[in-house]
Amino acid sequence: MKKLFITTPIYYASGKPHTGHAYTTILADVIARYKKALGYDVFFLTGMDEHGQKISDTAKKKGLQVQEMLDSVTKDFKQLWKDLDINYSNFIRTTDKVHCDAVQKTFSELLSKQYIYEGTWKGLYCVNCEENYTRDQAVEKEGKLYCKVGHELTEKNEPSYFLKVSKYADWIQKQFKEKDFIMPQARVNELLGSFIDKGLEDLSVTRTSINWGIQTKEDSKHVIYVWIDALLSYLSGLGYLSSDDKNFKKYFVDKDSEVVHLMSKEITRFHCIYWPILLNMLELRLPTHIISHGWVVTKEGKMSKSLGNIINPYDYINTFGSDAFRYFIVRQVNLEKDGIFSHDLFVETFNTQLANNYGNMATRIAGMLKKYFNNTVPTFNKNALTELDKKVIAAEKKLLSSVKDRIQHFKINPLLDDIQDQYNVLNKYIDDAKPWVLAKDPDKKDQLSNCLNILFTSAINLMILLSPILVKTSKIIEKAFNLQLNPENISKDWSGHKIDVLSPLFARVEKSK
Ligand SMILES: [Zn+2]
């Protein structure tokens, strides 16, 4: 059986989950479900990054114990994932013992192999982003130095352990050129141009000035600093270096398992450079793909606290349902560009693609089956096909022939384009074939049967294709139509199939809120 290990980044546990987090997680869940439908054995990992100075500072500000705050933040994330039908296989927290153990053991291994050495770290640091800056990378404004997001940088000078990444600049460039290692390809040029071409500096991997993190076993003054800690969660989440590492062996070590890391573009650099180097030092395989998607932006720009444009997923989930939110997010995800989130666009997408196409189509077909065929799908008669019927069947075949390729290459949005096109084909088919006219003519009985049979089969196919996204709605359809929306039922002959009553789905919403 083919296998897939897919991950989201671990999310920084300093506040409530927002639409940006949901964006990556929904996409990962949808890919995982599509791959399962193709027969993959999937392990889907998500989790929380719970270490660092900002976390302990935030807890202090709120007057909470750090662990108490983390438990509450993690609870919010898990609740949102539950409400959004995110079907992860494991949820790793960097405060989990299995993770802390794996990080300490890995640090010791790297130290004993001399990939890590002791030195002094001098440089600029952003407390907010927990990121080191060289003088070159810092943004200067009126004599002061800022990080790229705009936080003021502090100067530091402290003992630190370093990871010898500088020797790997050539090696990593070579990996980048491997086909599809980093998706989309445009990201590779950004990385090569802005970063690697200048050469790599050894990476500071510990701090003595941070207290909330994993201490090294060798020297308790040193706390392992963000990236080694965070990146290793991809392995500890599979049980790496623990007494139960069967998932690690099955989904990571096994070369037949596809390893896919999904993330937003701003953290791609760390993943594409330090993660492969770290894996190489540990004599482990590299990921199959690192997929970097654009941001979800509003009219004001990237969602941020300072712009006050952060969208709370519940504003939409509570009004439109979690399926509509999942659908809209996947519809707007674009690997090359940023995806736009606006209320008007949400409502428009909801009305045209879910209410009109998905919902209305299902209701109309159920209505006609009730009216003309006593809730039973009529027989398909190959010898009585009209030109209109043949056109619809051909369009259907064309759509189905590209599905597998779309999914294999993570082209979910183009797949949705194809599906919406097919809905347009079916809507036009109903307008042109006019089943209500056929029903009045006893000589057109075969034509009416074929029309309803084709409509039912095609609509079910589209619902099967959308079931990895529309999780809750699919269950309603399965009950009403008395069938399973699974891949084995694609283009099944439904002649004689009995359906139950279908209530309306996705009621249209007026644009003004
Ligand atoms: Zn910053």
Side-chain angles (χ1 to χ4, degrees), residues 347-365:
V347 172
E348 191 189 308
T349 306
F350 178 86
N351 282 343
T352 53
Q353 302 182 19
L354 295 179
N356 287 3
N357 283 345
Y358 188 106
N360 260 357
M361 181 62 66
T363 318
R364 282 178 92 181
I365 293 170

Side-chain angles (χ1 to χ4, degrees), residues 125-131 133 146-153:
Y125 180 70
C126 175
V127 180
N128 268 286
C129 306
E130 304 206 28
E131 213 174 295
Y133 273 81
Y146 298 89
C147 81
K148 62 176 185 291
V149 187
H151 307 117
E152 195 175 339
L153 297 170

Side-chain angles (χ1 to χ4, degrees), residues 429-443:
Y429 177 52
I430 297 179
D431 290 348
D432 294 345
K434 298 184 177 59
W436 53 93
V437 175
L438 299 176
K440 286 180 189 148
D441 187 345
D443 292 341

